Amino acid sequence: MKRTLTREQVLALAEHVEGAELNVHDIPKITNDYPEMTFADAYDIQWEIRRRKEARGNKTVGLKMGLTSWAKMAQMGVETPIYGFLSDYFSVPDGGVIDCSKLVHPKIEAEISVVTKAPLRGPGCHIGDVIAAVDYVIPTVEVIDSRYENFKFDLISVVADNASSTRYITGGQMANLEDVDLRTLGVVMEKNGEVVEVGAGAAVLGHPLSSVAMLANLLAERGEHIPAGTFIMTGGITAAVAVEPGDNVTVRYQGLGSVSARFV
């Protein structure tokens, strides 16, 4: 994997980008100053941000996939989704409150998440491997929050910003894989009692478990894998919907109950 940044530049950019998250302010996209940056550079920054959080005592509690819609990939001119990590303080209980003063540009997406019972390793991981490794399914609402000014960014900058990760809400009902058809599973997103988005699991790479296989293969490029017991958000089923203080959100999942949160 081609790299253009020195170790010192990676450390400085990780501090800069994470600082925007922790101090709640926006920044220009980092490729403005480093136009030759590659995806390998961007993931170096993301993994350094992860290391910084863990060094401060935060636990990494899961992984997420982003840009998992074929249409969105074509729109962005890329051939593969991206991934990020989830830190312990990102987790919000079902029905919980999310403080918008700690976020820059919050938006929500409906997602299907899985928890693994066996490790998954690439390269060559495929959906059959994932089916054998999944313990259970749980509905999840992701709150994304790009730290870049005016939502002006490119994909390399997004990777370095931990794929816009900030909060997630799990709830509804857990289910065994054999009891749900993730491809046809429907979701309805409501904001303040009005339906704002609908979708089905097939919006995620044709099948949400294809997203998990792709994650294992992307991690293999860095010599990493998905351990057993990993919580994985497979990617947005719906378009991202902006939220602000005073909004109440409920996402209903076919056969899996609902997930709710309140923004203040």
Side-chain angles (χ1 to χ4, degrees):
M1 294 189 291
K2 181 186 175 187
R3 288 174 167 84
T4 67
L5 299 179
T6 66
R7 180 62 182 161
E8 291 71 23
Q9 288 171 323
V10 168
L11 295 175
L13 285 168
E15 181 176 3
H16 176 60
V17 173
E18 192 197 20
E21 178 223 337
L22 297 178
N23 299 311
V24 197
H25 64 84
D26 55 11
I27 55 175
K29 71 179 191 291
I30 56 177
T31 50
N32 288 353
D33 294 325
Y34 298 91
E36 303 303 315
M37 263 183 68
T38 66
F39 278 104
D41 291 322
Y43 278 114
D44 286 346
I45 294 166
Q46 183 190 121
W47 280 83
E48 175 58 22
I49 291 172
R50 175 173 172 169
R51 187 203 66 75
R52 288 168 59 88
K53 292 188 187 302
E54 290 172 351
R56 289 195 298 269
N58 294 122
K59 293 181 179 179
T60 299
V61 296
L63 298 167
K64 60 164 275 188
M65 288 288 282
L67 207 71
T68 49
S69 152
W70 293 116
K72 186 72 179 223
M73 280 191 279
Q75 179 187 357
M76 297 288 288
V78 297
E79 297 178 352
T80 186
I82 61 174
Y83 67 85
F85 68 90
L86 304 171
S87 203
D88 50 7
Y89 68 93
F90 294 1
S91 179
V92 177
D94 189 16
V97 174
I98 296 170
D99 184 354
C100 292
S101 71
K102 296 180 179 178
L103 307 176
V104 182
H105 306 117
K107 295 186 175 186
I108 57 167
E109 296 178 346
E111 308 216 2
I112 293 170
S113 297
V114 300
V115 175
T116 59
K117 61 186 176 184
L120 284 165
R121 290 182 169 85
C125 181
H126 58 79
I127 194 169
D129 299 323
V130 179
I131 290 170
V134 166
D135 190 10
Y136 60 88
V137 176
I138 185 168
T140 308
V141 174
E142 182 178 17
V143 184
I144 57 172
D145 188 26
S146 171
R147 269 61 69 161
Y148 294 118
E149 288 176 350
N150 303 315
F151 279 95
K152 291 185 177 178
F153 47 73
D154 49 47
L155 206 56
I156 286 175
S157 294
V158 173
V159 168
D161 188 29
N162 191 23
S164 303
S165 304
T166 193
R167 300 289 186 271
Y168 65 91
I169 310 115
T170 51
Q173 304 162 17
M174 294 182 294
N176 294 322
L177 203 52
E178 58 267 25
D179 295 331
V180 289
D181 182 348
L182 294 186
R183 193 176 58 81
T184 61
L185 189 150
V187 303
V188 178
M189 180 188 290
E190 298 174 3
K191 185 171 80 168
N192 302 325
E194 293 189 9
V195 174
V196 289
E197 288 289 336
V198 297
V204 181
L205 295 175
H207 195 297
L209 297 188
S210 295
S211 175
V212 180
M214 192 168 285
L215 173 61
N217 293 328
L218 287 168
L219 288 170
E221 295 176 4
R222 297 187 68 93
E224 303 283 348
H225 73 284
I226 301 172
T230 301
F231 171 77
I232 302 166
M233 296 196 301
T234 60
I237 295 171
T238 62
V241 173
V243 287
E244 59 186 19
D247 284 340
N248 291 280
V249 170
T250 299
V251 180
R252 306 184 191 282
Y253 292 78
Q254 181 183 355
L256 291 177
S258 63
V259 182
S260 300
R262 183 163 56 94
F263 291 81
V264 298

